[in-house]
């Protein structure tokens, strides 16, 4: 394996976007927004449009630009649209798993798009199946869509159907939903997955996983969607209500390290600037004497620049990235696969030969890619390669929407610092501390579970054997919410 550097990274699982703008070409706006969010998921893409009478969906496997033609978008006029790009996890890669999901509730059609993971979706799915509700896929997103349908059908309005569903769901989620004449957006009570609200002209609103999607459609950032909040936009204007009580904020810290695009903004600061600060902090914590600082492009670049600036060492290009080896359905042959990281990166001997290098990467997950890059730089003539990670050691799996390996594949859960250094063949190795990382991001509450094992939402016991190594006991900071412990019928009886 290891055909691309990204295979040695944590993966965000999705990007979402929604727009309410009855006088505009909402499908085309969503298309361009999804192109801006493409880094969040490259395996499928979809757009749903509500035209005042019904909801239409087009989705398929592939990159956004592969899924939609100009005439597809022209054939989707509407007042409201949502979009989704997806990074598929094992067991959920087929067309049925592509989003948005279309569901019918009595005579109302809804389309739902979801970023995140619901830790209790399996038990909810079983309960719904026992009640005779059919499923097309094995995804948690479909469980959420079916639950919303179920509660709405039981006589509630759609907004209260969403609120009831939020009481049942556990995990990290940011969802957008379109019906024929309204846009909805809602976020988990801990605010683990990101969701931001932006404004176009009077009465026109957008929501997205990141602000880079606003820039491309000409919207301005208004505020974050708050933990547990439901936003509804329609001809009646924008309405906000608390769907589920907000819990303590646990914004995913890894969005700041790696997932979000550097030009996206959070708390008044770009992710570029935060990563530059992380590089400076990393240099203060783990300095080294060297001739040149290089980055593992592109995601390590801001931190590498910060590292170099802090120590007064020149920053330069030592690795060239082939930008056109995007995720593709054409699998390389075994022979090409053995080229490993060279399919995506190549060393620049002119820049690195005879030099003592600091190689800054945003994170080290399995360590296999770092090992190949260090070897490549040494083959290109580098005399020393000092590796620095602009995030702490990733020791714990994520359950909230990020595709992490099981703990046995996380190198930092299995080896000491010195053993990792030896494995990747570096002359020295350093990681940013968790405290140092938190000092570089805007003030707020953060999930740091993949570094610390402190999980904001309880991890069900059934995952322990599969995901954790013996001896690792996660610390569940908050027990499940009372609603998620109840059956659907019990929850309804409470009304
Ligand atoms: S465990 Fe890590 S990747 Fe997952 S939500 Fe928390 S900080 Fe983000």
């Amino acid at each position: 394996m290891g055909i691309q550097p990204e295979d040695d990274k944590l993966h965000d699982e999705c990007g979402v976007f929604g727009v309410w703008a009855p006088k505009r070409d909402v499908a085309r706006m969503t298309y361009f927004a999804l192109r801006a969010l493409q880094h969040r998921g490259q395996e499928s893409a979809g757009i749903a449009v509500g035209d005042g009478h019904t909801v239409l969906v087009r989705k398929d496997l592939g990159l956004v630009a592969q899924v939609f033609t100009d005439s597809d978008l022209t054939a989707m006029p509407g007042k409201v649209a949502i979009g989704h790009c997806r990074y598929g996890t094992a067991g959920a890669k087929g067309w049925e798993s592509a989003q948005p999901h279309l569901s019918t509730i009595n005579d109302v059609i809804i389309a739902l798009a979801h970023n995140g993971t619901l830790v209790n979706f399996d038990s909810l799915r079983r309960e719904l199946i026992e009640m005779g509700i059919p499923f097309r896929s094995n995804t948690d997103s479909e469980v959420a869509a079916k639950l919303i349908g179920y509660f709405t059908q039981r006589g509630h309005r759609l907004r209260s159907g969403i609120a009831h569903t939020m009481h049942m769901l556990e995990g990290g989620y940011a969802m957008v939903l379109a019906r024929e004449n309204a846009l909805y957006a809602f976020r988990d009570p801990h605010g683990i997955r990101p969701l931001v609200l932006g404004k176009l002209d009077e009465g026109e609103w957008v929501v997205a996983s990141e602000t880079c999607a606003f820039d491309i459609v000409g919207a301005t950032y208004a505020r974050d969607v708050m933990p547990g909040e439901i936003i509804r936009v329609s001809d009646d204007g924008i309405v906000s209500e608390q769907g589920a009580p907000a819990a303590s904020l646990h914004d995913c810290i890894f969005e700041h390290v790696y997932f979000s695009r550097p030009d996206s903004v959070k708390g008044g600061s770009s992710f570029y600037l935060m990563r530059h600060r992380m590089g400076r902090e990393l240099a203060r914590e783990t300095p080294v004497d060297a001739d040149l600082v290089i980055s593992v492009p592109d995601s390590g670049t801001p931190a590498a620049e910060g590292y170099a600036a802090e120590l007064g060492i020149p920053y330069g290009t030592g690795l060239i990235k082939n930008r056109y080896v995007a995720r593709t359905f054409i699998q390389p042959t075994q022979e090409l696969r053995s080229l490993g990281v060279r399919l995506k990166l190549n060393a620049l001997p002119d820049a690195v030969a005879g030099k003592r290098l600091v190689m800054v990467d945003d994170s080290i997950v399995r360590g296999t890619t770092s090992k190949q890059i260090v070897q490549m730089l040494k083959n290109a003539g580098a005399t020393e390669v000092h590796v620095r990670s602009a995030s702490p050691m990733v020791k714990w799996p994520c359950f909230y929407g990020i595709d992490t390996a099981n703990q046995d594949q996380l190198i930092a859960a299995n080896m000491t610092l010195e053993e990792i250094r030896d494995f990747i063949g570096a002359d020295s190795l350093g990681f940013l501390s968790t405290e140092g990382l938190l000092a570089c991001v805007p003030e707020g509450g953060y999930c740091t579970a993949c570094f610390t094992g402190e999980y904001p939402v309880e991890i069900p016991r059934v995952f322990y054997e599969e995901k954790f190594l013996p001896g690792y006991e996660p610390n569940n900071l908050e027990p499940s919410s009372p609603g998620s412990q109840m059956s659907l019928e019990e929850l309804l009886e409470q009304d």
Side-chain angles (χ1 to χ4, degrees):
M1 300 301 286
I3 60 160
Q4 295 175 14
E6 282 79 3
D7 289 337
D8 198 11
K9 297 285 177 206
L10 303 188
H11 290 281
D12 215 316
E13 285 177 7
C14 303
V16 295
F17 179 79
V19 53
W20 169 266
K23 295 196 180 87
R24 300 196 190 218
D25 186 345
V26 287
R28 208 165 296 263
M29 288 173 82
T30 305
Y31 170 84
F32 282 105
L34 289 181
R35 298 233 16 199
L37 295 171
Q38 185 78 81
H39 59 287
R40 299 182 71 88
Q42 292 105 39
E43 289 183 2
S44 70
I47 294 175
V49 169
D51 64 2
H53 305 285
T54 190
V55 181
L56 282 176
V57 173
R58 175 169 179 82
K59 59 181 180 178
D60 210 337
L61 301 178
L63 297 169
V64 179
Q66 294 168 325
V67 171
F68 296 97
T69 63
D70 198 59
S71 48
D72 291 334
L73 299 170
T74 305
M76 298 178 84
K79 306 166 86 168
V80 53
I82 60 169
H84 189 269
C85 54
R86 177 166 200 277
Y87 171 79
T89 49
K93 284 184 188 285
W95 185 89
E96 284 78 15
S97 305
Q99 296 190 33
H101 276 289
L102 208 55
S103 277
T104 308
I105 310 164
N106 295 333
D107 52 355
V108 175
I109 304 176
I110 61 162
L112 179 78
H114 167 211
N115 172 29
T117 300
L118 308 174
V119 295
N120 63 337
F121 94 97
D122 218 27
S123 56
L124 289 170
R125 188 171 185 273
R126 269 200 307 274
E127 214 176 327
L128 287 165
I129 288 171
E130 273 165 27
M131 291 161 58
I133 295 174
F135 278 81
R136 291 181 65 117
S137 74
N138 191 24
T139 62
D140 52 357
S141 316
E142 192 180 1
V143 170
K146 292 281 158 64
L147 269 178
I148 291 169
Y150 174 79
F151 284 122
T152 305
Q153 248 168 8
R154 299 285 297 234
H156 297 284
R157 295 163 63 86
L158 180 52
R159 214 176 333 154
S160 55
I162 294 171
H164 273 78
T165 300
M166 290 171 79
H167 280 84
M168 300 294 293
L169 304 181
E170 287 285 325
Y173 58 86
M175 300 197 193
V176 290
L177 183 154
R179 59 178 293 182
E180 79 284 3
N181 58 4
L183 169 70
Y184 295 79
F186 44 103
R187 194 172 173 210
D188 70 82
H190 288 88
I192 296 174
R193 298 266 61 87
L195 195 60
V196 285
L197 176 71
K199 197 165 189 326
L200 289 155
D201 279 337
E202 201 48 43
E204 298 176 339
W205 295 91
V206 287
V207 284
S209 301
E210 291 179 40
T211 64
C212 64
F214 295 167
D215 299 336
I216 202 165
V217 298
T220 48
Y221 169 81
R223 65 174 176 83
D224 285 13
V225 177
M226 303 310 286
E229 182 184 13
I230 305 174
I231 287 176
R232 176 181 192 266
V233 196
S234 68
D235 282 329
D236 300 332
I238 184 164
V239 179
S240 158
E241 73 174 64
Q242 201 63 33
S248 53
L249 179 64
H250 280 89
D251 211 345
C252 169
I253 194 79
F254 233 99
E255 290 283 346
H256 306 66
V257 170
Y258 168 62
F259 303 140
S260 291
R261 237 172 66 165
D263 52 335
S264 285
V265 174
K266 185 80 197 280
S269 179
S270 70
F271 288 100
Y272 170 82
L273 207 59
M274 291 181 225
R275 289 169 196 165
H276 198 274
R277 279 188 225 127
M278 289 169 205
R280 281 188 174 273
E281 178 65 23
L282 179 64
R284 288 192 288 272
E285 291 184 10
T286 62
V288 63
D289 193 18
D291 304 314
L292 185 70
V293 177
I294 66 166
S295 77
V296 178
D298 293 314
S299 47
T301 302
E305 289 172 357
Y307 192 97
E310 184 67 22
L311 295 182
I313 301 173
Y315 167 78
T317 302
L319 292 163
I320 301 294
K321 182 174 177 177
N322 177 355
R323 289 173 203 290
Y324 303 99
V325 186
R327 278 183 176 270
T328 161
F329 297 107
I330 300 170
Q331 294 297 319
T333 59
Q334 190 54 40
E335 192 186 345
L336 281 174
R337 210 185 290 264
S338 68
L339 291 173
V341 78
R342 273 178 290 159
L343 278 176
K344 190 76 181 252
L345 288 175
N346 207 2
L348 253 186
D350 288 347
V352 304
K355 302 233 170 73
R356 297 169 302 157
L357 302 178
V358 184
M359 180 190 107
V360 180
D361 203 352
D362 56 80
S363 57
I364 296 174
V365 179
R366 290 182 176 86
T368 45
T369 303
S370 309
K371 183 183 172 83
Q372 292 181 60
I373 301 173
V374 169
Q375 192 56 53
M376 192 191 282
L377 291 167
K378 291 206 164 170
N379 291 346
T383 53
E384 293 174 16
V385 181
H386 302 272
V387 175
R388 295 292 180 271
S389 162
S391 72
M393 289 178 157
V394 177
K395 292 188 176 179
W396 299 83
C398 176
F399 295 87
Y400 312 133
I402 305 305
D403 183 27
T404 32
N406 292 352
Q407 212 174 16
D408 58 0
Q409 293 165 323
L410 302 175
I411 193 167
N414 293 272
M415 291 188 193
T416 64
L417 182 70
E418 176 53 23
E419 285 168 344
I420 301 171
R421 186 208 59 73
D422 188 50
F423 173 78
I424 64 177
D427 292 276
S428 75
L429 174 63
F431 289 84
L432 184 61
S433 67
T434 305
E435 303 68 42
L437 172 60
L438 289 170
C440 300
V441 295
E443 257 181 53
Y446 289 97
C447 174
T448 56
C450 45
F451 309 131
T452 59
E454 311 256 302
Y455 288 93
V457 176
E458 187 172 354
I459 308 304
R461 276 260 153 208
V462 288
F463 290 128
Y464 279 33
E465 235 171 70
E466 180 197 337
K467 285 280 189 179
F468 297 113
L469 287 167
Y472 277 91
E473 188 70 19
N475 182 12
N476 291 314
L477 295 179
E478 283 184 30
S480 303
S481 65
S484 72
Q485 303 291 316
M486 288 180 210
S487 70
L488 303 181
E489 297 300 336
E490 282 169 341
L491 193 75
L492 285 170
E493 277 163 21
Q494 274 211 331
D495 275 0

